[in-house]
């Protein structure tokens, strides 16, 4: 890891070039503000080189000065119109109550317009967003939680620099050199938030470091009737205490589809050209404590998770093991690809977000694979 406290700071020339490019996206005649009191400021349109000391890296207001300069350069009314045109109503650039950066501010910084949408489709018209070349990329955990794909241009930046959005804050992922991507490519992840503020070198390994295919239309994939004994839920890992960070060395409790749960489900029949999901052998009836699948599947309605002792009858619903079904335990390596990806996504938000751009990627830190041989949690977003 690289401690940024001891790393050389960027030069004034580098800062000037960066800020100049950002502000010129907002306006051909950018403005830089200067605080005249704690609650008021003025701005100047003089050459940026003469105003750049305002952005002294030791000034705690530096980021605020940059944001206000972008707004003044774009114009407050234009900023407001940008936001309303994209989502139909005004949204603040910084979201409360935790003062989080919104996508409007990201777009203002990258494109010079305070539009709110970063998705592949316009939120109001549903039309696909045209490809707009961008110097930096964006990958987001919201693509997992909302199933809304990020626009293609955010995943195909001209530089291998990505804003990584993890719901509640941002980190940065970038390559330090413009060399082409390889099966094992060194990236750096930068978490700017104190107290960490560390630059961490990582290796992205896998076969999918090439550009992703264009985003498909936003139609949800149809759900077909799952086969008996296919995976319904991954509940927990009974061996997590043995491998706190190496989740790929653990076993997992699985809830499978049973005749009872399939009878209660409403799915269209599966077409013959759509392969069914993997099924798992149910194995013999458990002789010790067990979990009733029928109870677990209705847990959100009853808050009952179906855990029982050694009785052959569920103490909650009164069903026998054969009627209610029981869960099974499988090692991570015994899961099919879909099951392993579900575990990876749950155990490492960082890895899950990376795979929205690099489909099959794995992360190596210090020569150790995240989730497999690495002893720590890895990058945090």
């Amino acid at each position: 890891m690289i401690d940024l406290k001891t790393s050389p700071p960027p030069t004034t020339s580098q800062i000037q070039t960066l800020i100049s490019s950002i502000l010129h996206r907002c306006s051909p005649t950018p403005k830089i503000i200067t605080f005249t009191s704690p609650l008021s400021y003025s701005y100047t349109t003089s050459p940026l080189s003469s105003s750049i000391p305002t952005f002294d890296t030791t000034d705690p207001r530096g980021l605020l000065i940059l944001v206000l300069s972008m707004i003044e350069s774009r114009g407050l009314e234009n900023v407001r119109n940008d936001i309303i045109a994209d989502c139909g109503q005004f949204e603040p650039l910084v979201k409360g109550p935790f003062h989080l950066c919104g996508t409007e501010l990201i777009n203002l910084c990258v494109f010079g317009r305070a539009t709110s949408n970063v998705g592949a489709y316009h939120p109001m018209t549903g039309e696909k967003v045209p490809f707009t070349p961008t110097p930096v990329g964006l990958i987001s955990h919201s693509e997992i939680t909302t199933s809304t794909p990020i626009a293609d241009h955010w995943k195909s930046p001209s530089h291998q620099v990505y804003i990584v959005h993890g719901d509640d804050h941002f980190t940065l992922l970038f390559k330090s050199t413009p060399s082409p991507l390889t099966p094992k490519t060194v990236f750096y992840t930068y978490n700017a938030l104190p107290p960490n503020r560390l630059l961490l070198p990582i290796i992205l390994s896998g076969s999918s470091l090439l550009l992703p295919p264009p985003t498909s239309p936003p139609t949800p994939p149809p759900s077909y009737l799952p086969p008996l004994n296919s995976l319904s839920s991954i509940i927990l890992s009974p061996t997590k205490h043995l491998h706190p960070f190496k989740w790929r060395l653990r076993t997992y409790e699985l809830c499978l589809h049973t005749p009872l749960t399939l009878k209660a489900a409403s799915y269209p029949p599966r077409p013959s050209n759509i392969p069914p999901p993997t099924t798992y052998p149910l194995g013999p009836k458990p002789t010790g404590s067990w979990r009733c699948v029928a109870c677990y599947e209705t847990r959100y309605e009853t808050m009952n998770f179906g855990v029982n002792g050694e009785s052959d009858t569920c103490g909650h619903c009164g069903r026998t093991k054969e009627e209610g079904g029981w869960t099974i335990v499988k090692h991570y390596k015994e899961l099919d690809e879909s099951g392993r990806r579900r575990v990876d996504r749950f155990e490492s938000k960082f890895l899950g977000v990376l795979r929205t751009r690099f489909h099959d990627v794995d992360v190596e830190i210090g020569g150790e694979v995240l989730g497999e041989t690495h002893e720590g949690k890895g990058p945090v977003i």
Side-chain angles (χ1 to χ4, degrees):
M1 291 183 289
I2 301 172
D3 189 344
L4 297 181
K5 296 177 182 177
T6 60
S7 300
T11 65
T12 299
S13 175
Q14 290 172 326
I15 296 175
Q16 177 181 340
T17 300
L18 175 61
I19 293 176
S20 175
S21 65
I22 292 174
L23 295 183
H24 273 92
R25 293 173 197 146
C26 300
S27 171
T29 55
K31 302 172 183 177
I32 290 186
I33 71 105
T34 302
F35 279 103
T36 56
S37 74
L39 297 177
S40 62
Y41 63 84
S42 62
Y43 62 81
T44 177
T45 55
S46 60
L48 293 180
S49 58
S50 65
S51 304
I52 207 66
T54 308
F55 291 91
D56 183 351
T57 54
T58 62
D59 189 339
R61 301 172 301 177
L63 187 58
L64 179 59
I65 293 171
L66 174 59
V67 171
L68 292 175
S69 296
M70 288 193 296
I71 295 172
E72 287 290 353
S73 298
R74 177 62 177 159
L76 185 58
E77 192 62 27
N78 287 332
V79 168
R80 184 183 298 273
N81 291 337
D82 289 341
I83 297 172
I84 294 175
D86 226 18
C87 62
Q89 62 183 15
F90 179 75
E91 294 287 341
L93 296 176
V94 179
K95 317 289 186 182
F98 302 112
H99 311 299
L100 302 178
C101 169
T103 52
E104 298 84 2
L105 192 52
I106 293 176
N107 278 321
L108 182 61
C109 186
V110 175
F111 295 115
R113 303 183 306 277
T115 53
S116 60
N117 184 40
V118 294
Y121 297 89
H122 195 282
M124 297 177 67
T125 66
E127 297 179 353
K128 187 166 185 178
V129 174
F131 189 94
T132 306
T134 172
V136 300
L138 171 70
I139 51 179
S140 174
H141 192 249
S142 66
E143 184 162 336
I144 298 172
T145 56
T146 67
S147 299
T148 302
I150 299 297
D152 293 335
H153 51 258
W154 285 114
K155 296 183 180 181
S156 307
S158 56
H159 303 288
Q160 289 298 319
V161 178
Y162 296 89
I163 302 165
V164 184
H165 175 226
D167 290 333
D168 54 5
H169 80 286
F170 298 89
T171 56
L172 198 64
L173 178 76
F174 64 93
K175 280 176 86 279
S176 60
T177 61
S179 57
L181 296 174
T182 64
K184 284 184 177 286
T185 303
V186 178
F187 276 76
Y188 290 85
T189 175
Y190 172 40
N191 188 343
L193 294 180
N196 294 323
R197 302 203 65 224
L198 289 176
L199 194 63
L200 180 66
I202 63 175
I203 292 178
L204 302 190
S205 61
S207 59
S208 59
L209 297 181
L210 299 177
L211 294 179
T215 306
S216 302
T219 53
S223 296
Y224 299 114
L225 183 68
L228 183 66
N229 292 342
S230 59
L231 182 60
S232 174
S233 304
I234 300 175
I235 303 175
L236 51 79
S237 172
T239 55
K240 183 175 181 177
H241 63 288
L242 299 177
H243 308 288
F245 304 119
K246 301 176 183 179
W247 67 83
R248 293 178 179 174
L249 303 185
R250 303 179 198 157
T251 56
Y252 292 87
E253 184 182 2
L254 310 181
C255 178
L256 306 181
H257 288 289
T258 67
L260 187 65
T261 58
L262 292 178
K263 183 179 179 181
S266 177
Y267 294 103
R270 181 178 300 275
S272 58
N273 62 330
I274 303 294
T278 301
T279 59
Y280 295 86
L282 189 58
K285 286 194 301 182
T287 56
S289 60
W290 61 289
R291 188 189 302 271
C292 174
V293 170
C295 288
Y296 184 76
E297 291 286 22
T298 58
R299 62 195 179 279
Y300 296 122
E301 303 168 17
T302 64
M303 296 307 295
N304 170 26
F305 289 78
V307 178
N308 290 279
E310 298 182 359
S311 171
D312 282 340
T313 302
C314 177
H316 309 286
C317 67
R319 295 183 176 91
T320 65
K321 291 178 181 177
E322 290 83 356
E323 293 171 332
W326 60 86
T327 57
I328 64 172
V329 175
K330 291 290 183 183
H331 193 276
Y332 173 89
K333 293 182 179 179
E334 296 179 281
L335 304 178
D336 66 356
E337 180 184 0
S338 174
R340 292 193 299 269
R341 290 181 71 87
R342 286 169 68 173
V343 172
D344 288 344
R345 187 168 59 240
F346 175 79
E347 295 289 348
S348 173
K349 181 192 288 188
F350 182 76
L351 183 58
V353 173
L354 282 185
R355 285 181 171 176
T356 65
R357 164 59 179 86
F358 308 108
H359 181 70
D360 296 322
V361 78
D362 271 319
V363 174
E364 296 181 20
I365 304 174
E368 298 178 330
V369 179
L370 190 64
E372 196 165 315
T373 56
H374 185 58
E375 291 288 352
K377 287 185 177 180
V380 177
I381 57 172

